[in-house]
């Protein structure tokens, strides 16, 4: 009786292995993929991401809305209070920009562009407030007329400043807008005086 070739033996063994593989029973119950949901980028929760964006914008609103009282103060005190207020506003704007830079990639298309626009608007506002602070710091309270003129000019310039419309920017994407309606920080931002109405 002729001996089977090595190739035939290999084919037979391969067939046995595949049959035995099909017959193997794995114990236990099926489980979900243990990998956690990403915090940013595709697959991330858009509500959580948008909440971080609105939270970052909220950071600067606190110092900006904390305007000092000037009633009854002498000119040097007015200068110091106004300078401190503008400095705190600058700091708050920088903190907002830093937090926006840390929100991570958007889970929704167009979200990264939205964050870039908001951040650019905050940077412009920060620079404008810095220019106003420099003018106040350079004013001499001893020269009453010049000092009051500098304050009037600063006041006029500050009234012309506009903050970025973060909520309006989020509205440009239906998915981001829907997420913003569910995000707690966006609800808080909508209640801030001057924020875009929802």
């Amino acid at each position: 009786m002729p001996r089977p070739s090595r190739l035939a033996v290999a084919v037979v063994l391969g067939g046995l292995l595949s049959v035995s593989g099909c017959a193997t029973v794995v114990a236990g119950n099926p489980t979900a993929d243990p990998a956690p949901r990403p915090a940013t980028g595709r697959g991330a929760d858009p509500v959580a991401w948008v909440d971080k964006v609105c939270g970052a914008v909220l950071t600067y609103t606190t110092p900006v809305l904390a305007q000092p009282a000037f009633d009854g103060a002498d000119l040097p005190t007015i200068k110091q209070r106004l300078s401190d207020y503008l400095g705190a506003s600058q700091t708050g704007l920088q903190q907002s920009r830093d937090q926006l830079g840390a929100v991570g990639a958007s889970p929704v298309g167009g979200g990264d562009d939205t964050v870039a626009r908001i951040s650019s608007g905050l940077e412009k506002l920060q620079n404008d407030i810095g220019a106003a602070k420099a003018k106040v710091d350079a004013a001499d309270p001893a020269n009453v007329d010049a000092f009051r003129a500098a304050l009037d000019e600063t006041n006029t310039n500050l009234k012309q400043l506009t903050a970025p419309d973060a909520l309006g920017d989020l509205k440009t994407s239906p998915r981001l807008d829907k997420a913003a309606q569910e995000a707690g920080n966006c609800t808080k931002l909508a209640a801030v005086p001057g924020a875009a109405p929802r």
Side-chain angles (χ1 to χ4, degrees), residues 18-29:
S18 62
V19 170
S20 65
C22 290
T24 301
V25 176
V26 178
N29 297 320

Side-chain angles (χ1 to χ4, degrees), residues 31-67:
T31 59
D33 185 348
R37 185 174 189 174
T40 63
R42 299 294 179 185
D45 179 5
V47 175
W49 185 84
V50 167
D51 194 64
K52 289 191 287 187
V53 172
C54 288
V57 175
L58 271 173
T59 296
Y60 90 87
T61 64
T62 300
V64 167
L65 293 176
Q67 297 183 21

Side-chain angles (χ1 to χ4, degrees), residues 68-94:
F70 300 115
D71 296 343
D74 57 21
L75 294 184
T77 302
I78 289 174
K79 174 180 177 176
Q80 188 60 55
R81 288 179 182 174
L82 182 54
S83 178
D84 291 346
Y85 163 70
L86 294 173
S89 297
Q90 278 186 291
T91 299
L93 285 160
Q94 184 60 55

